[in-house]
Amino acid sequence: MNRVELRKLSLEFRRISSNFLNSVDDNADVNLSRFLKFINENELIKSFIEQKISGVEYDFKECFGFGVNGWASFNPPEDESCHIKALYDYLMFIHNDNNVNVERQAMRYCWSNRKINVIIQNFIDMAFKPLIDFINDQLSMEMIVLDEEDKTNGSNTFIQNIETVNGSANQQINGTINTYNTFENVEGILNTIDKLFMSLSEIKSICSDDKDDVKDDLEVVQEQLKLQSPKKKRLSKALEGIKRFVKEFSMELGVSLATTAINVTDWNFLIQQVEQFIEKL
Amino acid sequence: MSSENLTFTIQGDSEGYITFECPFCGSEFKLQADDFQNEDEPFDEIFCPYCGLAKNKNEFLSSDVIEKAQALAYNYMVEEINKTFNKMKRSFNSSKSIIKMEFKPLKKVTTKELKDKDTTEVEFTCDCCERRVKVLYCVGKSKIFCPYCGVDL
């Protein structure tokens, strides 16, 4: 399983677990069945549980002590494997027995709260949260292992960021060298925006509303570039506006060459620079 | 029965982050007030960045916030009761009345201003939704989940 699949599985498992933990009277049985089905049908999760409980001899009724008077008490075992086995077996017991449901099981324990939904949630938390935590931790550990493997496998890859190359960049080392030309010239972009701002007021053939719209977009770009962590979405949205403006008024911007030192090339240069900046975020 | 809305503000830390508390594992984390209150991208649930489990966002309010809300509600109740009893006292104690009434007004509880301090948590940005969270760095990136979309960071 690769990291993406593991991330998806982790999210899916946490969603189903959360639904189960947030169950109320109406959906507790369905959520329990869905949770059990999910952990039984997923090979990786099933293997976590099987590895943990294989060879463990423990009766779940020792953990969830069923008294003769109908009341039950919770006595978790010291050994974690026994605890996990008890939780899994109890889950199967509630699911497989036709006369058993979550609400009935929850009502066998003593609770300080009288609300049925709170009792059900407290019961699920007490009885099955350790199993959810165990699976969650195992999934996280798998991710840590994958990350480490990626680091080891990718240790021969070097990424070199070069802003300006005068002559040729040459470096001898074992492994693969990936060279990217980066444009971290935020100052340059900001200067271009300042020039474009000044040139806009000189262009008479474009109506003021359209000029105001593009000014707003330029301001957003300016503002985001000055931030420590610029927002990709805001930059992309502003860039779309600028692109639209350049496409629509390319003729007018070309004519403005005569009056200002700015032309369409400057606009295209800005678009290109901002696009590259966004790609790196 | 009428309902009354009481509002109060929470001052974030120097970067505008507010503290929240997970109802499952009890751990604290910080979210950007801008992201949390963004009406363009509404959300109902939050995932705990530490345990990854989700619940309604109101369940993640910190104990300080709940305490303050309860204190404000209590003070409102006290104010209303005192007002009603004062009115009753005035009508009872008119010159024509033969029954006199006295009452001791209930006292309000003091409420403190909620202000988040700068702490040691580190800011992480989700690659998926681009929203930010502040968590303890020692947890390690492999173990942090995005509070908004739930993916691991």
Side-chain angles (χ1 to χ4, degrees):
Chain A
M1 189 173 267
N2 62 31
R3 203 176 194 288
V4 176
E5 286 168 339
L6 205 54
R7 286 175 82 184
K8 279 186 189 170
L9 174 65
S10 165
L11 182 60
E12 215 175 332
F13 173 72
R14 283 181 286 112
R15 164 55 61 207
I16 284 172
S17 312
S18 301
N19 289 347
F20 183 37
L21 288 167
N22 298 331
S23 295
V24 290
D25 190 20
D26 297 336
N27 59 18
D29 292 331
V30 178
N31 285 340
L32 180 135
S33 301
R34 281 183 190 163
F35 178 76
L36 185 64
K37 193 171 176 239
F38 186 82
I39 60 172
N40 277 341
E41 286 181 1
N42 187 279
E43 281 177 26
L44 185 67
I45 294 177
K46 185 82 180 157
S47 72
F48 293 152
I49 298 169
E50 280 173 354
Q51 277 170 24
K52 189 76 179 172
I53 66 175
S54 68
V56 177
E57 291 291 325
Y58 188 79
D59 185 0
F60 77 92
K61 285 178 183 166
E62 284 178 41
C63 177
F64 301 96
F66 295 169
V68 281
N69 53 2
W71 289 97
S73 59
F74 180 56
N75 312 301
E78 199 180 306
D79 185 70
E80 201 200 356
S81 303
C82 293
H83 192 187
I84 297 296
K85 186 175 189 302
L87 305 184
Y88 183 70
D89 291 347
Y90 192 30
L91 202 59
M92 295 289 278
F93 168 74
I94 297 174
H95 180 255
N96 294 339
D97 198 322
N98 289 332
N99 296 320
V100 178
N101 64 27
V102 178
E103 185 196 335
R104 203 172 298 162
Q105 283 302 306
M107 296 304 283
R108 298 183 76 168
Y109 298 84
C110 295
W111 304 104
S112 56
N113 203 301
R114 286 183 177 184
K115 289 178 185 167
I116 185 67
N117 289 340
V118 177
I119 289 175
I120 287 173
Q121 285 176 12
N122 286 345
F123 167 69
I124 296 171
D125 192 77
M126 173 196 82
F128 305 115
K129 179 85 186 328
L131 179 65
I132 293 168
D133 289 342
F134 166 73
I135 298 169
N136 238 340
D137 287 347
Q138 292 298 313
L139 287 170
S140 294
M141 278 184 213
E142 283 290 313
M143 274 187 216
I144 292 168
V145 171
L146 269 182
D147 283 351
E148 285 304 312
E149 278 173 7
D150 285 351
K151 269 186 202 168
T152 318
N153 294 338
S155 61
N156 284 338
T157 304
F158 304 93
I159 295 174
Q160 193 173 36
N161 293 315
I162 302 173
E163 191 179 345
T164 315
V165 181
N166 296 319
S168 59
N170 190 7
Q171 196 173 9
Q172 249 186 337
I173 197 159
N174 293 329
T176 316
I177 300 173
N178 296 323
T179 305
Y180 299 98
N181 286 329
T182 56
F183 297 87
E184 292 189 321
N185 192 5
V186 175
E187 276 298 309
I189 302 176
L190 292 174
N191 287 338
T192 313
I193 292 175
D194 284 338
K195 284 179 197 167
L196 293 174
F197 262 129
M198 285 160 70
S199 75
L200 274 171
S201 54
E202 301 291 325
I203 308 168
K204 307 289 179 202
S205 51
I206 300 174
C207 80
S208 57
D209 282 351
D210 291 323
K211 281 200 273 191
D212 287 343
D213 284 348
V214 80
K215 273 182 187 172
D216 288 344
D217 291 329
L218 290 170
E219 272 170 5
V220 171
V221 175
Q222 228 173 12
E223 185 189 291
Q224 290 299 317
L225 291 181
K226 285 174 187 171
L227 291 177
Q228 208 168 11
S229 48
K231 284 195 169 179
K232 202 173 178 177
K233 272 187 185 172
R234 287 193 186 167
L235 272 172
S236 305
K237 206 175 163 188
L239 185 65
E240 283 307 307
I242 297 169
K243 278 182 181 174
R244 225 178 5 253
F245 176 82
V246 174
K247 197 177 169 189
E248 205 172 328
F249 301 106
S250 56
M251 286 288 285
E252 288 83 347
L253 294 172
V255 172
S256 71
L257 178 69
T259 50
T260 64
I262 297 291
N263 59 25
V264 187
T265 320
D266 295 294
W267 286 92
N268 289 333
F269 175 72
L270 175 80
I271 290 168
Q272 190 194 2
Q273 294 274 293
V274 177
E275 268 174 352
Q276 281 170 359
F277 185 85
I278 292 171
E279 269 173 30
K280 286 197 296 165
L281 289 175
Chain B
M1 199 164 63
S2 67
S3 65
E4 188 68 29
N5 286 325
L6 303 170
T7 55
F8 61 95
T9 54
I10 307 165
Q11 198 182 327
D13 66 11
S14 62
E15 289 171 312
Y17 279 88
I18 307 289
T19 303
F20 291 87
E21 201 176 300
C22 173
F24 295 112
C25 64
S27 47
E28 288 187 344
F29 56 95
K30 286 180 164 188
L31 298 179
Q32 256 283 342
D34 283 353
D35 289 341
F36 189 77
Q37 297 180 124
N38 189 352
E39 287 174 3
D40 297 336
E41 294 170 58
F43 59 94
D44 295 325
E45 281 189 325
I46 291 182
F47 289 82
C48 170
Y50 297 100
C51 69
L53 297 171
K55 212 167 185 167
N56 188 290
K57 63 179 179 182
N58 291 338
E59 303 283 337
F60 282 81
L61 296 174
S62 67
S63 48
D64 282 350
V65 175
I66 292 168
E67 208 175 282
K68 168 121 184 181
Q70 284 173 340
L72 286 177
Y74 178 80
N75 285 349
Y76 176 76
M77 179 196 76
V78 164
E79 212 173 275
E80 290 298 303
I81 289 174
N82 286 347
K83 218 188 284 175
T84 311
F85 273 79
N86 257 325
K87 207 172 160 188
M88 201 192 287
K89 187 183 159 190
R90 273 200 302 276
S91 69
F92 265 101
N93 296 351
S94 65
S95 55
K96 288 174 190 170
S97 171
I98 50 166
I99 303 168
K100 300 290 175 195
M101 180 187 159
E102 269 183 38
F103 99 98
K104 201 175 164 187
L106 291 170
K107 282 180 184 167
K108 286 184 180 181
V109 291
T110 50
T111 55
K112 58 180 180 184
E113 285 301 310
L114 294 179
K115 191 180 174 186
D116 269 272
K117 288 176 186 164
D118 288 337
T119 42
T120 51
E121 282 104 338
V122 180
E123 185 184 86
F124 288 93
T125 306
C126 174
D127 296 335
C128 186
C129 68
E130 294 174 16
R131 286 185 275 198
R132 290 159 289 171
V133 59
K134 260 188 181 180
V135 288
L136 291 170
Y137 186 70
C138 58
V139 178
K141 208 176 175 183
S142 304
K143 278 283 284 173
I144 303 168
F145 304 103
C146 171
Y148 301 97
C149 58
V151 299
D152 72 299
L153 299 177

